[in-house]
Coordinates of all heavy atoms in Angstrom, one line a residue:
M13 N -10.9 -7.6 17.4 CA -10.1 -7.4 16.2 C -10.9 -6.9 15.1 O -12.0 -7.3 14.8 CB -9.4 -8.7 15.8 CG -8.5 -9.3 16.8 SD -6.8 -9.0 16.3 CE -6.0 -9.5 17.8
K14 N -10.3 -5.9 14.4 CA -10.9 -5.3 13.2 C -10.0 -5.5 12.0 O -8.9 -5.8 12.1 CB -11.2 -3.9 13.5 CG -12.3 -3.7 14.6 CD -12.7 -2.2 14.6 CE -13.8 -2.1 15.7 NZ -14.3 -0.7 15.7
F15 N -10.6 -5.2 10.9 CA -9.9 -5.2 9.6 C -9.7 -3.8 9.1 O -10.6 -2.9 9.2 CB -10.7 -6.0 8.6 CG -10.9 -7.4 9.0 CD1 -12.0 -7.8 9.6 CD2 -9.9 -8.4 8.7 CE1 -12.2 -9.2 10.0 CE2 -10.0 -9.7 9.0 CZ -11.2 -10.1 9.7
Y16 N -8.5 -3.5 8.5 CA -8.2 -2.2 8.0 C -7.6 -2.3 6.6 O -6.7 -3.0 6.4 CB -7.2 -1.5 9.0 CG -7.8 -1.2 10.4 CD1 -7.6 -2.1 11.4 CD2 -8.6 -0.1 10.6 CE1 -8.1 -2.0 12.6 CE2 -9.1 0.1 11.9 CZ -8.9 -0.9 12.9 OH -9.4 -0.7 14.1
H17 N -8.1 -1.5 5.8 CA -7.6 -1.3 4.4 C -6.8 0.0 4.5 O -7.3 1.1 4.5 CB -8.6 -1.2 3.3 CG -8.1 -0.9 2.0 ND1 -8.8 -0.3 1.0 CD2 -6.9 -1.2 1.4 CE1 -8.1 -0.2 -0.1 NE2 -6.9 -0.7 0.1
V18 N -5.5 -0.1 4.5 CA -4.6 1.0 4.6 C -3.9 1.2 3.3 O -3.3 0.3 2.7 CB -3.6 0.8 5.8 CG1 -2.7 2.0 6.0 CG2 -4.3 0.4 7.1
Y19 N -3.9 2.5 2.8 CA -3.2 2.7 1.6 C -2.7 4.2 1.5 O -3.1 5.0 2.3 CB -4.2 2.5 0.4 CG -5.4 3.3 0.5 CD1 -5.5 4.5 -0.2 CD2 -6.5 2.9 1.2 CE1 -6.7 5.3 -0.1 CE2 -7.7 3.7 1.3 CZ -7.7 4.9 0.6 OH -8.9 5.6 0.7
T20 N -1.9 4.4 0.5 CA -1.4 5.8 0.3 C -2.0 6.3 -1.0 O -2.4 5.5 -1.9 CB 0.1 5.9 0.2 OG1 0.6 5.0 -0.9 CG2 0.8 5.5 1.5
K21 N -2.1 7.6 -1.2 CA -2.6 8.1 -2.4 C -1.5 7.8 -3.5 O -0.3 7.8 -3.2 CB -2.7 9.6 -2.3 CG -3.9 10.1 -1.6 CD -4.0 11.6 -1.7 CE -5.2 12.1 -1.0 NZ -5.3 13.6 -1.1
G22 N -1.9 7.6 -4.7 CA -1.0 7.5 -5.8 C -0.4 8.8 -6.1 O -1.0 9.8 -6.1
L23 N 0.9 8.8 -6.2 CA 1.7 10.0 -6.4 C 2.1 10.0 -7.9 O 3.0 9.3 -8.3 CB 2.9 10.1 -5.5 CG 2.7 9.9 -4.1 CD1 4.0 9.8 -3.3 CD2 1.9 11.1 -3.5
E24 N 1.4 10.8 -8.7 CA 1.6 10.9 -10.1 C 3.0 11.2 -10.5 O 3.6 10.7 -11.4 CB 0.6 11.8 -10.8 CG -0.8 11.3 -10.7 CD -1.7 12.3 -11.4 OE1 -1.3 13.1 -12.2 OE2 -2.9 12.3 -11.1
D25 N 3.6 12.2 -9.7 CA 4.9 12.7 -10.1 C 6.1 12.0 -9.3 O 7.2 12.3 -9.5 CB 5.0 14.2 -9.9 CG 4.7 14.6 -8.5 OD1 4.1 13.8 -7.8 OD2 5.1 15.8 -8.2
K26 N 5.7 11.1 -8.3 CA 6.8 10.5 -7.5 C 6.6 9.0 -7.6 O 5.6 8.5 -7.2 CB 6.7 11.0 -6.1 CG 7.9 10.5 -5.2 CD 7.8 11.0 -3.9 CE 8.9 10.4 -3.1 NZ 8.8 10.7 -1.6
V27 N 7.6 8.3 -8.0 CA 7.6 6.9 -8.0 C 8.4 6.4 -6.8 O 9.5 6.8 -6.5 CB 8.3 6.3 -9.3 CG1 8.4 4.8 -9.3 CG2 7.5 6.8 -10.5
I28 N 7.8 5.5 -6.1 CA 8.4 4.9 -4.9 C 9.2 3.7 -5.2 O 10.4 3.6 -4.7 CB 7.3 4.5 -3.9 CG1 6.4 5.6 -3.5 CG2 7.9 3.9 -2.6 CD1 5.1 5.3 -2.7
F29 N 8.7 2.9 -6.1 CA 9.4 1.6 -6.5 C 9.7 1.7 -7.9 O 8.9 1.6 -8.8 CB 8.5 0.4 -6.2 CG 8.0 0.3 -4.7 CD1 6.7 0.6 -4.4 CD2 8.9 0.0 -3.7 CE1 6.3 0.6 -3.1 CE2 8.4 -0.1 -2.4 CZ 7.1 0.2 -2.1
R30 N 11.0 2.0 -8.2 CA 11.4 2.2 -9.6 C 11.8 0.9 -10.3 O 11.7 0.8 -11.5 CB 12.6 3.2 -9.6 CG 12.3 4.6 -9.3 CD 13.6 5.5 -9.2 NE 13.3 6.9 -9.1 CZ 12.8 7.5 -8.1 NH1 12.3 6.8 -7.1 NH2 12.6 8.8 -8.1
D31 N 12.4 0.0 -9.6 CA 12.9 -1.2 -10.2 C 12.8 -2.4 -9.3 O 12.3 -2.3 -8.2 CB 14.4 -1.0 -10.7 CG 15.3 -0.6 -9.6 OD1 15.0 -0.9 -8.4 OD2 16.4 0.1 -9.9
T32 N 13.3 -3.5 -9.7 CA 13.3 -4.8 -8.9 C 13.9 -4.6 -7.5 O 13.4 -5.0 -6.5 CB 13.9 -5.9 -9.7 OG1 13.2 -6.1 -10.9 CG2 13.8 -7.2 -8.9
T33 N 15.0 -3.9 -7.5 CA 15.7 -3.7 -6.2 C 14.8 -2.9 -5.3 O 14.8 -3.2 -4.1 CB 17.1 -3.0 -6.5 OG1 17.9 -3.8 -7.3 CG2 17.8 -2.7 -5.1
D34 N 14.2 -1.9 -5.7 CA 13.3 -1.1 -4.9 C 12.1 -1.9 -4.3 O 11.8 -1.8 -3.2 CB 12.7 0.1 -5.7 CG 13.7 1.2 -5.9 OD1 14.8 1.2 -5.3 OD2 13.4 2.1 -6.7
Y35 N 11.6 -2.8 -5.2 CA 10.5 -3.7 -4.7 C 11.0 -4.7 -3.7 O 10.3 -5.0 -2.7 CB 9.9 -4.5 -5.9 CG 8.9 -3.6 -6.6 CD1 9.2 -3.0 -7.8 CD2 7.6 -3.4 -6.1 CE1 8.3 -2.3 -8.6 CE2 6.6 -2.7 -6.8 CZ 7.0 -2.1 -8.0 OH 6.1 -1.3 -8.7
I36 N 12.2 -5.2 -3.8 CA 12.8 -6.1 -2.8 C 13.0 -5.4 -1.5 O 12.6 -6.0 -0.5 CB 14.1 -6.7 -3.4 CG1 13.8 -7.7 -4.5 CG2 14.9 -7.4 -2.2 CD1 15.1 -8.1 -5.3
V37 N 13.5 -4.2 -1.6 CA 13.7 -3.4 -0.3 C 12.3 -3.2 0.3 O 12.1 -3.3 1.5 CB 14.4 -2.1 -0.6 CG1 14.4 -1.2 0.6 CG2 15.8 -2.4 -1.0
G38 N 11.3 -2.8 -0.5 CA 10.0 -2.6 0.0 C 9.4 -3.8 0.6 O 8.7 -3.7 1.7
M39 N 9.6 -5.0 0.1 CA 9.1 -6.2 0.6 C 9.8 -6.5 2.0 O 9.2 -7.0 2.9 CB 9.4 -7.4 -0.3 CG 8.6 -7.3 -1.6 SD 6.8 -7.6 -1.4 CE 6.9 -9.4 -1.1
N40 N 11.1 -6.3 2.0 CA 11.9 -6.5 3.3 C 11.3 -5.6 4.4 O 11.2 -6.0 5.5 CB 13.4 -6.3 3.1 CG 14.0 -7.4 2.3 OD1 13.5 -8.5 2.3 ND2 15.1 -7.1 1.6
Y41 N 11.0 -4.3 4.0 CA 10.5 -3.4 5.0 C 9.1 -3.8 5.5 O 8.7 -3.6 6.7 CB 10.4 -2.0 4.4 CG 11.7 -1.3 4.3 CD1 11.9 -0.2 3.4 CD2 12.9 -1.7 5.0 CE1 13.1 0.4 3.3 CE2 14.1 -1.1 4.8 CZ 14.2 0.0 4.0 OH 15.4 0.6 3.8
V42 N 8.3 -4.5 4.7 CA 7.0 -5.1 5.1 C 7.3 -6.1 6.2 O 6.7 -6.0 7.3 CB 6.2 -5.7 3.9 CG1 5.0 -6.5 4.5 CG2 5.8 -4.7 2.9
A43 N 8.2 -6.9 6.0 CA 8.6 -8.0 7.0 C 9.1 -7.3 8.3 O 8.7 -7.8 9.4 CB 9.6 -8.9 6.4
I44 N 9.9 -6.3 8.2 CA 10.5 -5.6 9.4 C 9.3 -5.0 10.2 O 9.2 -5.1 11.4 CB 11.5 -4.6 9.0 CG1 12.8 -5.4 8.5 CG2 11.9 -3.7 10.2 CD1 13.8 -4.5 7.8
A45 N 8.5 -4.2 9.5 CA 7.4 -3.5 10.2 C 6.4 -4.5 10.8 O 5.9 -4.3 11.9 CB 6.7 -2.6 9.2
Q46 N 6.1 -5.6 10.1 CA 5.2 -6.6 10.7 C 5.9 -7.3 11.9 O 5.2 -7.5 12.9 CB 4.9 -7.7 9.6 CG 3.8 -8.7 10.0 CD 4.3 -9.7 11.0 OE1 5.4 -10.2 10.9 NE2 3.4 -10.1 11.9
F47 N 7.1 -7.6 11.8 CA 7.8 -8.2 12.9 C 7.8 -7.3 14.2 O 7.6 -7.8 15.3 CB 9.2 -8.6 12.6 CG 10.0 -9.2 13.7 CD1 9.9 -10.5 14.0 CD2 10.9 -8.4 14.4 CE1 10.6 -11.1 15.1 CE2 11.7 -9.0 15.4 CZ 11.5 -10.3 15.8
K48 N 8.0 -6.0 14.0 CA 8.1 -5.1 15.1 C 6.7 -4.8 15.7 O 6.6 -4.5 16.9 CB 8.8 -3.8 14.6 CG 10.3 -4.0 14.4 CD 10.9 -2.6 14.2 CE 12.5 -2.8 14.1 NZ 13.2 -1.6 14.1
T49 N 5.7 -4.8 14.9 CA 4.4 -4.5 15.4 C 3.5 -5.7 15.7 O 2.5 -5.6 16.4 CB 3.6 -3.6 14.4 OG1 3.4 -4.3 13.2 CG2 4.3 -2.3 14.2
K50 N 3.8 -6.8 15.1 CA 3.1 -8.1 15.3 C 1.7 -8.0 14.7 O 0.8 -8.8 15.1 CB 3.0 -8.5 16.8 CG 4.3 -8.6 17.5 CD 5.2 -9.7 16.8 CE 6.5 -9.8 17.7 NZ 7.6 -10.2 16.9
I51 N 1.4 -7.1 13.8 CA 0.1 -7.0 13.1 C 0.0 -8.2 12.2 O 0.9 -8.7 11.7 CB 0.0 -5.7 12.3 CG1 -1.4 -5.4 11.9 CG2 0.9 -5.6 11.1 CD1 -2.3 -4.7 12.9
T52 N -1.3 -8.6 11.9 CA -1.5 -9.6 10.9 C -1.8 -9.0 9.6 O -2.7 -8.1 9.5 CB -2.8 -10.5 11.4 OG1 -2.5 -11.1 12.6 CG2 -3.1 -11.5 10.4
I53 N -1.0 -9.3 8.6 CA -1.2 -8.8 7.2 C -1.9 -9.9 6.5 O -1.4 -11.0 6.3 CB 0.2 -8.5 6.6 CG1 0.9 -7.5 7.4 CG2 0.0 -8.0 5.2 CD1 2.4 -7.2 7.0
L54 N -3.1 -9.6 6.0 CA -3.9 -10.5 5.2 C -3.5 -10.5 3.7 O -3.6 -11.5 3.0 CB -5.4 -10.3 5.4 CG -5.8 -10.4 6.9 CD1 -7.3 -10.0 7.0 CD2 -5.6 -11.8 7.4
A55 N -3.2 -9.3 3.3 CA -2.9 -9.1 1.8 C -2.2 -7.7 1.7 O -2.5 -6.8 2.5 CB -4.1 -9.2 0.9
F56 N -1.4 -7.6 0.7 CA -0.9 -6.3 0.3 C -0.4 -6.3 -1.1 O -0.1 -7.3 -1.7 CB 0.3 -5.9 1.3 CG 1.5 -6.7 1.2 CD1 2.6 -6.2 0.4 CD2 1.7 -7.9 1.8 CE1 3.8 -6.9 0.3 CE2 2.9 -8.6 1.7 CZ 3.9 -8.1 0.9
V57 N -0.2 -5.1 -1.6 CA 0.3 -4.9 -3.0 C 1.2 -3.6 -3.0 O 0.8 -2.6 -2.4 CB -0.8 -4.8 -4.1 CG1 -1.7 -3.7 -3.8 CG2 -0.2 -4.8 -5.5
L58 N 2.3 -3.7 -3.5 CA 3.2 -2.6 -3.7 C 3.2 -2.2 -5.2 O 3.5 -3.0 -6.0 CB 4.7 -2.9 -3.3 CG 4.9 -3.5 -1.9 CD1 6.4 -3.8 -1.7 CD2 4.4 -2.6 -0.8
M59 N 2.7 -1.0 -5.4 CA 2.6 -0.5 -6.8 C 3.7 0.6 -7.0 O 4.3 1.0 -6.0 CB 1.2 0.0 -7.1 CG 0.2 -1.1 -6.8 SD -1.5 -0.6 -7.0 CE -1.6 -0.8 -8.8
S60 N 4.0 1.0 -8.2 CA 5.1 1.9 -8.4 C 5.0 3.2 -7.6 O 6.0 3.7 -7.2 CB 5.2 2.2 -9.9 OG 4.1 2.8 -10.4
N61 N 3.8 3.7 -7.5 CA 3.6 5.0 -6.8 C 2.8 5.0 -5.6 O 2.4 6.0 -5.0 CB 3.1 6.0 -7.8 CG 1.7 5.7 -8.3 OD1 1.2 4.7 -8.1 ND2 1.1 6.7 -8.9
H62 N 2.3 3.8 -5.1 CA 1.6 3.7 -3.9 C 1.5 2.2 -3.4 O 2.0 1.4 -4.1 CB 0.2 4.3 -4.0 CG -0.8 3.6 -4.9 ND1 -0.6 3.5 -6.3 CD2 -1.9 2.9 -4.6 CE1 -1.6 2.8 -6.8 NE2 -2.4 2.4 -5.8
F63 N 0.8 2.0 -2.3 CA 0.7 0.6 -1.8 C -0.6 0.5 -1.0 O -1.2 1.5 -0.6 CB 1.9 0.2 -0.9 CG 2.3 1.2 0.1 CD1 1.7 1.3 1.3 CD2 3.4 2.1 -0.2 CE1 2.1 2.3 2.2 CE2 3.8 3.0 0.7 CZ 3.1 3.1 1.9
H64 N -1.0 -0.8 -0.9 CA -2.3 -1.1 -0.1 C -1.9 -2.3 0.8 O -1.2 -3.2 0.5 CB -3.4 -1.6 -1.1 CG -3.9 -0.7 -2.0 ND1 -5.1 0.0 -1.8 CD2 -3.4 -0.2 -3.2 CE1 -5.3 0.8 -2.9 NE2 -4.3 0.7 -3.7
F65 N -2.5 -2.2 2.0 CA -2.4 -3.3 3.0 C -3.8 -3.6 3.6 O -4.5 -2.7 3.9 CB -1.5 -2.9 4.2 CG 0.0 -2.8 3.8 CD1 0.5 -1.6 3.5 CD2 0.8 -3.9 3.9 CE1 1.9 -1.5 3.1 CE2 2.1 -3.8 3.6 CZ 2.7 -2.6 3.2
L66 N -4.1 -4.9 3.7 CA -5.2 -5.3 4.4 C -4.7 -5.9 5.7 O -4.0 -6.9 5.7 CB -6.1 -6.3 3.6 CG -7.3 -6.9 4.3 CD1 -8.3 -5.7 4.6 CD2 -8.0 -7.9 3.4
L67 N -5.1 -5.3 6.8 CA -4.5 -5.6 8.1 C -5.6 -6.1 9.1 O -6.8 -5.7 9.0 CB -3.8 -4.4 8.8 CG -2.8 -3.7 7.9 CD1 -2.3 -2.4 8.6 CD2 -1.6 -4.7 7.7
K68 N -5.3 -7.0 10.0 CA -6.2 -7.4 11.0 C -5.5 -7.2 12.4 O -4.4 -7.6 12.6 CB -6.5 -8.9 10.9 CG -7.4 -9.5 11.9 CD -7.6 -11.0 11.7 CE -8.5 -11.5 12.8 NZ -8.6 -13.0 12.7
G69 N -6.3 -6.5 13.2 CA -5.8 -6.1 14.5 C -6.5 -4.9 15.1 O -7.6 -4.6 14.7
N70 N -5.8 -4.2 16.0 CA -6.5 -3.0 16.6 C -5.9 -1.8 15.9 O -4.9 -1.8 15.2 CB -6.4 -3.0 18.1 CG -5.0 -2.8 18.6 OD1 -4.2 -1.9 18.1 ND2 -4.5 -3.6 19.5
R71 N -6.7 -0.7 16.0 CA -6.3 0.5 15.2 C -5.0 1.0 15.6 O -4.2 1.5 14.7 CB -7.4 1.6 15.5 CG -7.2 2.8 14.7 CD -8.2 3.9 14.9 NE -7.9 5.0 14.2 CZ -8.7 5.5 13.2 NH1 -9.8 4.9 12.9 NH2 -8.4 6.6 12.5
E72 N -4.6 1.0 16.9 CA -3.3 1.5 17.3 C -2.2 0.8 16.7 O -1.2 1.4 16.2 CB -3.3 1.4 18.8 CG -2.0 2.0 19.4 CD -1.9 1.8 20.9 OE1 -2.9 1.9 21.6 OE2 -0.8 1.6 21.4
V73 N -2.3 -0.5 16.6 CA -1.2 -1.3 16.0 C -1.2 -1.1 14.5 O -0.1 -1.0 13.9 CB -1.3 -2.8 16.4 CG1 -0.3 -3.6 15.7 CG2 -1.2 -3.0 17.9
A74 N -2.3 -1.0 13.9 CA -2.4 -0.8 12.4 C -1.8 0.6 12.1 O -1.0 0.7 11.1 CB -3.8 -0.8 11.9
E75 N -2.0 1.6 12.9 CA -1.4 2.9 12.6 C 0.1 2.9 12.9 O 0.9 3.5 12.1 CB -2.1 4.0 13.5 CG -3.5 4.3 13.1 CD -4.2 5.3 14.1 OE1 -3.6 5.5 15.2 OE2 -5.3 5.7 13.7
K76 N 0.5 2.1 13.9 CA 1.9 2.0 14.2 C 2.6 1.3 13.0 O 3.7 1.7 12.6 CB 2.2 1.3 15.5 CG 3.6 1.1 15.9 CD 3.7 0.4 17.2 CE 5.2 0.3 17.6 NZ 5.4 -0.4 18.9
F77 N 2.0 0.2 12.5 CA 2.6 -0.5 11.3 C 2.8 0.4 10.1 O 3.9 0.5 9.6 CB 1.7 -1.7 11.0 CG 2.1 -2.3 9.6 CD1 3.1 -3.2 9.6 CD2 1.5 -1.9 8.5 CE1 3.5 -3.7 8.4 CE2 1.9 -2.4 7.2 CZ 2.9 -3.4 7.2
I78 N 1.7 1.1 9.8 CA 1.9 1.9 8.5 C 2.8 3.1 8.7 O 3.6 3.5 7.8 CB 0.5 2.4 8.0 CG1 0.6 2.8 6.5 CG2 -0.1 3.5 8.8 CD1 0.9 1.6 5.6
W79 N 2.8 3.7 9.9 CA 3.8 4.8 10.2 C 5.2 4.2 10.1 O 6.1 4.9 9.5 CB 3.6 5.3 11.7 CG 4.5 6.4 12.0 CD1 4.4 7.7 11.8 CD2 5.8 6.2 12.7 NE1 5.5 8.4 12.3 CE2 6.4 7.4 12.8 CE3 6.5 5.0 13.2 CZ2 7.6 7.6 13.4 CZ3 7.7 5.2 13.8 CH2 8.3 6.5 13.9
L80 N 5.5 3.1 10.7 CA 6.8 2.5 10.6 C 7.2 2.1 9.2 O 8.3 2.4 8.7 CB 6.8 1.2 11.5 CG 8.2 0.4 11.5 CD1 9.3 1.3 12.0 CD2 8.1 -0.8 12.4
Y81 N 6.3 1.5 8.4 CA 6.6 1.2 7.0 C 6.9 2.4 6.2 O 7.9 2.4 5.5 CB 5.4 0.4 6.4 CG 5.7 0.0 5.0 CD1 6.6 -1.1 4.8 CD2 5.2 0.6 3.9 CE1 7.0 -1.5 3.5 CE2 5.5 0.1 2.6 CZ 6.4 -0.9 2.5 OH 6.8 -1.3 1.2
K82 N 6.1 3.4 6.3 CA 6.3 4.7 5.6 C 7.7 5.3 6.0 O 8.4 5.8 5.1 CB 5.2 5.7 5.8 CG 3.9 5.2 5.0 CD 2.7 6.0 5.4 CE 2.8 7.4 4.9 NZ 1.5 8.1 5.2
N83 N 8.0 5.2 7.2 CA 9.3 5.8 7.7 C 10.5 5.0 7.2 O 11.6 5.5 6.9 CB 9.3 6.0 9.2 CG 8.6 7.3 9.5 OD1 9.1 8.4 9.3 ND2 7.4 7.2 10.1
L84 N 10.3 3.7 7.1 CA 11.4 2.9 6.6 C 11.7 3.2 5.1 O 12.8 3.2 4.7 CB 11.0 1.4 6.8 CG 11.1 0.8 8.2 CD1 10.5 -0.6 8.3 CD2 12.6 0.7 8.7
L85 N 10.6 3.4 4.4 CA 10.7 3.8 3.0 C 11.4 5.1 2.8 O 12.1 5.3 1.9 CB 9.4 3.8 2.3 CG 8.7 2.5 1.9 CD1 7.4 2.8 1.3 CD2 9.6 1.7 1.0

């Protein structure tokens, strides 16, 4: 098992999470993506224009998790 810091670039001109509702949806998508991939999430932060995840597992599952999360968004 390895640790992965997965993040997206901050998008200056595009806001992902505009309000409380957007953050709630983003949090729900974290749970869905984690449930489907079974990755261990050690920490994460959702910011208005990007996000960070600290994951524990293998690379294939970490990539699957972030792909799924981004596609849910």
Side-chain angles (χ1 to χ4, degrees):
M13 296 258 169
K14 293 189 176 185
F15 298 93
Y16 297 94
H17 175 208
V18 182
Y19 59 94
T20 58
K21 286 185 176 180
L23 305 171
E24 291 179 22
D25 59 340
K26 183 177 179 190
V27 175
I28 302 168
F29 306 106
R30 290 177 170 65
D31 56 25
T32 301
T33 301
D34 286 348
Y35 280 102
I36 291 169
V37 170
M39 294 289 287
N40 288 335
Y41 288 161
V42 170
I44 291 167
Q46 188 283 325
F47 178 78
K48 289 187 173 191
T49 62
K50 306 298 186 213
I51 192 84
T52 300
I53 301 172
L54 300 173
F56 70 95
V57 60
L58 306 179
M59 303 177 83
S60 63
N61 65 346
H62 70 289
F63 45 83
H64 295 258
F65 289 93
L66 180 58
L67 306 173
K68 180 181 176 186
N70 67 51
R71 184 182 180 116
E72 180 181 329
V73 177
E75 288 175 351
K76 183 177 179 182
F77 168 83
I78 202 64
W79 178 88
L80 179 57
Y81 184 72
K82 288 168 70 174
N83 279 287
L84 286 168
L85 283 177

